């Protein structure tokens, strides 16, 4: 992974942070590990929602001939929601982790585009590459906060330049850690051209133009599929709302959900909706 990994312990999981050659912590954007309090908070949230849904669909099972709760009913009203809540919590944690990681990469990609624009502008004004990155650092601090991902990355690059580390190696390391294809491609092209005396100004300018065009296309696609994603979300929560309304407005009819046929039908329907959700998510996850 290059010269910027530092010494690290042998471990099964890929580390979330590395140490640069100038002893600055750097992020490995390809992975994200929740902190303990995050796991607890998200698990509890998913557990409560899952338990509520489990009770809504399967509550009241085991009543006697007169429709009165039995000891079996009371036990199942605790066991079933608890099991559904545990499954919901276990399933939601990796989903939420993926969402956080994708959001972080999306933010970094937008910030990287702005950095390229700043560097290209400085090069066009006659500055050399190191000075252009210094100017980009100041620009990004104004545009974003000091804690922004790109600000930290430019800080690592500028620190490396000041310590006589090749800028192309710094960019390659950034590209590898980012896990973003466009950043890695730019770093590799920059590495080759910078060493061979290529036109860095045109490379950065063309990379910025291509990246901007791709992001505009992604935004257009996202706008188009937003309605479909909204419909998908509605279709997921619609059965829950309908069952809740039926149980509140017509308890006699809702008693059918507690019968053997009702339990089987409900289980099949829930399974179909869960499968449909994951299939729909993959279909609507369009990559450019």
């Amino acid at each position: 992974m290059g010269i910027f990994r530092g010494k690290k312990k042998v471990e099964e999981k890929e580390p979330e942070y590395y140490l640069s050659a100038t002893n600055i912590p750097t992020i490995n954007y390809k992975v994200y590990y929740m902190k303990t309090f995050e796991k607890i908070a998200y698990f509890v949230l998913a557990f409560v929602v899952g338990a509520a849904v489990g009770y809504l669909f399967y509550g009241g099972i085991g009543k006697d001939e007169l429709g009165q709760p039995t000891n079996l009913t009371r036990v199942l009203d605790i066991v079933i929601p608890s099991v559904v809540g545990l499954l919901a919590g276990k399933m939601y944690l990796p989903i939420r982790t993926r969402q956080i990681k994708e959001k972080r990469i999306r933010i970094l990609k937008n910030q990287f585009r702005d950095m390229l624009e700043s560097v290209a502008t400085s090069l066009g004004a006659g500055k050399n590459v190191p000075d252009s990155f210094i100017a980009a650092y100041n620009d990004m601090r104004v545009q974003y906060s000091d804690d922004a991902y790109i600000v930290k990355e430019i800080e690592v690059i500028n620190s490396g330049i000041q310590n006589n580390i090749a800028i192309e190696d710094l960019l390659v390391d950034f590209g590898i850690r980012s896990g973003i294809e466009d950043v890695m491609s730019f770093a590799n092209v920059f590495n080759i051209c910078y060493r061979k005396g290529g036109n860095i100004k045109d490379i950065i300018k063309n990379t910025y133009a291509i990246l901007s065009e791709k992001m505009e296309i992604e935004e257009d696609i996202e706008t188009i599929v937003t309605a479909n994603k909204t419909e998908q979300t509605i279709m997921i929560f619609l059965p829950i709302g309908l069952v809740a309304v039926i149980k509140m407005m017509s308890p006699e009819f809702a008693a059918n959900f507690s019968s053997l046929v009702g339990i089987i039908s409900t289980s099949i329907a829930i399974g179909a909706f869960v499968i449909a959700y994951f299939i729909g998510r993959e279909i609507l996850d369009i990559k450019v």
Side-chain angles (χ1 to χ4, degrees):
M1 297 295 286
I3 63 175
F4 303 98
R5 295 297 174 259
K7 295 180 180 180
K8 57 182 180 182
K9 297 180 180 179
V10 177
E11 53 185 8
E12 295 180 0
K13 296 192 299 183
E14 187 175 358
E16 189 176 1
Y17 294 93
Y18 291 113
L19 195 63
S20 73
T22 55
N23 294 321
I24 298 178
T26 56
I27 301 175
N28 180 11
Y29 297 92
K30 293 179 291 184
V31 298
Y32 179 80
Y33 303 119
M34 286 187 178
K35 307 297 185 293
T36 302
F37 74 90
E38 288 181 297
K39 290 182 179 180
I40 295 175
Y42 288 126
F43 184 87
V44 170
L45 175 63
F47 178 86
V48 170
V49 174
V53 173
Y55 181 79
L56 177 65
F57 280 92
Y58 296 104
I61 296 176
K63 293 181 179 180
D64 58 21
E65 296 82 359
L66 301 176
Q68 298 300 317
T70 62
N71 290 331
L72 177 61
T73 303
R74 298 183 181 92
V75 171
L76 292 178
D77 283 350
I78 296 175
V79 173
I80 293 178
S82 298
V83 172
V84 175
L86 290 172
L87 291 174
K90 185 176 180 180
M91 292 178 61
Y92 182 66
L93 287 182
I95 293 175
R96 183 55 184 162
T97 299
R98 175 187 172 186
Q99 291 174 342
I100 294 174
K101 185 176 68 175
E102 290 178 347
K103 180 180 179 181
R104 184 171 65 175
I105 290 178
R106 185 169 60 252
I107 292 173
L108 177 64
K109 193 173 182 179
N110 287 326
Q111 295 176 353
F112 176 73
R113 178 184 60 176
D114 295 334
M115 183 205 75
L116 287 181
E117 182 182 14
S118 177
V119 172
T121 301
S122 297
L123 289 174
K127 294 183 179 180
N128 57 27
V129 173
D131 289 341
S132 296
F133 275 92
I134 293 175
Y137 176 74
N138 295 325
D139 292 341
M140 294 301 100
R141 289 185 64 190
V142 173
Q143 187 169 349
Y144 301 103
S145 66
D146 289 344
D147 294 330
Y149 299 130
I150 198 63
V151 173
K152 296 296 184 181
E153 294 300 334
I154 302 177
E155 183 179 350
V156 172
I157 293 173
N158 289 337
S159 176
I161 294 174
Q162 293 172 3
N163 286 274
N164 298 320
I165 299 173
I167 186 173
E168 57 269 30
D169 291 336
L170 293 159
L171 288 172
V172 169
D173 176 73
F174 173 39
I176 294 173
R177 288 186 292 101
S178 71
I180 302 174
E181 183 180 354
D182 295 311
V183 179
M184 289 188 286
S185 298
F186 167 76
N188 291 329
V189 173
F190 185 96
N191 182 25
I192 295 172
C193 294
Y194 194 72
R195 291 182 177 181
K196 295 184 178 295
N199 193 328
I200 299 299
K201 176 182 175 181
D202 288 342
I203 291 172
I204 295 178
K205 183 178 179 181
N206 292 335
T207 302
Y208 168 73
I210 294 172
L211 184 59
S212 296
E213 185 176 353
K214 287 183 63 176
M215 294 180 68
E216 289 176 1
I217 295 174
E218 289 176 350
E219 291 172 357
D220 291 339
I221 294 175
E222 182 65 24
T223 300
I224 294 173
V225 302
T226 294
N228 300 93
K229 289 183 177 181
T230 303
E231 292 174 359
Q232 182 190 25
T233 303
I234 294 174
M235 291 300 296
I236 291 297
F237 289 101
L238 185 60
I240 299 174
L242 288 175
V243 172
V245 170
I246 291 173
K247 287 200 169 186
M248 286 189 297
M249 299 186 66
S250 181
E252 297 81 6
F253 180 80
N256 294 319
F257 289 108
S258 302
S259 65
L260 178 61
V261 176
I263 294 171
I264 295 174
S265 302
T266 299
S267 300
I268 294 174
I270 292 175
F273 273 100
V274 171
I275 294 172
Y277 166 76
F278 284 104
I279 293 176
R281 189 182 68 177
E282 293 298 324
I283 292 175
L284 296 175
D285 186 19
I286 302 174
K287 304 294 185 182
V288 180

